[in-house]
Amino acid sequence: MISSDWLVRAALAQSLPSRINIIVMEGEGASSSVRQRVSHDPVVKIEDDDHQPIAGAVVVFALPVSGPSGEFFNGTKTLTLVTDKTGLAAAHGIKTNEIPGKLQIYVTASYRTLRARALINQTVEGAPGVKVRSPELQTSKSGGKWKWVLLGMAAAGGAGAGVYYGTHNSSSSPVSIGTGAVVFGSPR
């Protein structure tokens, strides 16, 4: 005898699409000023493989944690929505930060076991006449050369140890030398 639970799962499996797609409906290429609300809210449509809208898909809009970014109306960098019956989800109320440049809004969608992702690219423009400074890698002037000297000494010491154990170790077990995380900079 076949259980009704199995029949429901079988019918559901047959009705599942094989994939989902994110279609950017609004917001791509929009320009906004720093510390302002975006000029065009990002809007996406979630479709199945037959281009039919998917209601009830979970859509997450995420803003970068640094650089040109902003926050949603609720003060966070992520906003989670559920698509309506037309498959649409709109991230209203993004306010940009003070850093001009390319703003990439990350979009992920999930529906049951299916996942999709997309990027919405916008531009955050600085105030007229204000010089835009590009983010630079800042390094400490003090001890800069010593960091490289110490790194070279550590690498040479590791290589020397490998050669020594490789030639003086009578066991047949191999010697493995690895590095841990190497971090330069001031303590935080």
Side-chain angles (χ1 to χ4, degrees):
M1 178 170 196
I2 299 174
S3 72
S4 62
D5 186 41
W6 183 85
L7 290 173
V8 169
R9 282 191 300 219
L12 193 59
Q14 289 178 347
S15 66
L16 280 178
S18 61
R19 67 178 182 177
I20 60 173
N21 298 306
I22 299 174
I23 310 300
V24 178
M25 304 299 288
E26 291 182 37
E28 179 67 34
S31 293
S32 303
S33 296
V34 294
R35 295 188 181 150
Q36 299 295 316
R37 222 177 137 233
V38 295
S39 58
H40 294 286
D41 290 325
V43 178
V44 296
K45 183 176 186 180
I46 309 305
E47 296 180 342
D48 64 13
D49 44 356
D50 290 327
H51 305 289
Q52 297 301 309
I54 296 178
V58 176
V59 179
V60 178
F61 293 90
L63 299 171
V65 294
S66 64
S69 185
E71 55 186 37
F72 292 98
F73 68 90
N74 59 2
T76 64
K77 298 244 183 239
T78 61
L79 180 65
T80 303
L81 303 169
V82 176
T83 56
D84 62 15
K85 64 182 177 183
T86 62
L88 294 176
H92 297 293
I94 299 173
K95 185 176 179 184
T96 62
N97 65 7
E98 70 282 354
I99 302 173
K102 183 178 180 180
L103 168 62
Q104 292 189 310
I105 303 167
Y106 302 91
V107 184
T108 57
S110 59
Y111 180 71
R112 306 216 175 146
T113 61
L114 304 173
R115 308 253 185 282
R117 60 184 168 205
L119 277 177
I120 299 175
N121 295 296
Q122 296 191 355
T123 302
V124 178
E125 297 176 348
V130 176
K131 186 177 179 183
V132 176
R133 62 183 179 105
S134 61
E136 298 173 6
L137 177 63
Q138 299 202 354
T139 58
S140 170
K141 297 286 184 193
S142 64
K145 292 179 189 175
W146 286 107
K147 294 173 189 173
W148 293 109
V149 169
L150 291 174
L151 180 61
M153 289 173 52
V163 169
Y164 175 81
Y165 282 110
T167 59
H168 290 86
N169 194 356
S170 61
S171 70
S172 61
S173 62
V175 174
S176 169
I177 299 175
T179 60
V182 177
V183 179
F184 293 117
S186 302
R188 296 178 194 240

